[in-house]
Amino acid sequence: MINLAIQTNLDTSGSYLPIGLQLLFAAGMIVTLMGVTHLLGPKRRTSDKLQNFASGIESHGEARQPIAIKYFLTAILFVLFDVEVIFFYPYAVNFKELGWGGFYAVLMFVAFFLCGFIYIIRRGALKWED
């Protein structure tokens, strides 16, 4: 019984060897390629190359300008609701196996989803006019 436990433990640790070798190979490849490009790449440091690139447009003024918080709020809300919609895909794939219990769980999820959306609408988070 004890030998069986030791044998099983050894078998599972050996199964990670290919993953470890692949990680070592990938890390070695990254270090090698970065070193080769650093050594063989051109090193012409002109004033034009040392300037920040801004899509070919001459930069002028302060780079830190105030941006309306509504933009960030809308972006965060988009990401939030987008991620919530992603949770519908596993249900759509497995809706036959989940049965009525899964259907009620999705209805409850949609109810929470709609409560959050109604709250956002009532608070005026999506209104751009101020």
Side-chain angles (χ1 to χ4, degrees), residues 53-108:
F53 180 74
S55 303
I57 301 171
E58 285 291 326
S59 59
H60 58 279
E62 179 66 29
R64 307 209 187 275
Q65 297 175 355
I67 297 176
I69 193 70
K70 291 283 188 180
Y71 171 77
F72 293 108
L73 181 62
T74 304
I76 289 172
L77 291 174
F78 171 76
V79 169
L80 177 70
F81 284 107
D82 193 41
V83 169
E84 287 180 356
V85 168
I86 290 172
F87 287 115
F88 286 118
Y89 287 112
Y91 173 73
V93 171
N94 298 314
F95 72 95
K96 285 185 181 179
E97 290 85 14
L98 294 175
W100 286 105
F103 179 71
Y104 292 134
V106 167
L107 282 180
M108 189 168 57

Side-chain angles (χ1 to χ4, degrees), residues 112-128:
F112 286 132
F113 186 90
L114 286 175
C115 286
F117 187 68
I118 291 169
Y119 175 77
I120 287 170
I121 294 294
R122 288 187 187 242
R123 295 287 295 187
L126 300 177
K127 291 183 181 176
W128 283 93

Side-chain angles (χ1 to χ4, degrees), residues 32-52:
T32 302
L33 290 176
M34 287 183 71
V36 167
T37 56
H38 180 71
L39 293 174
L40 298 178
K43 294 170 181 59
R44 292 178 288 237
R45 300 190 190 276
T46 63
S47 62
D48 289 337
K49 285 190 175 186
L50 293 176
Q51 286 182 355
N52 291 335

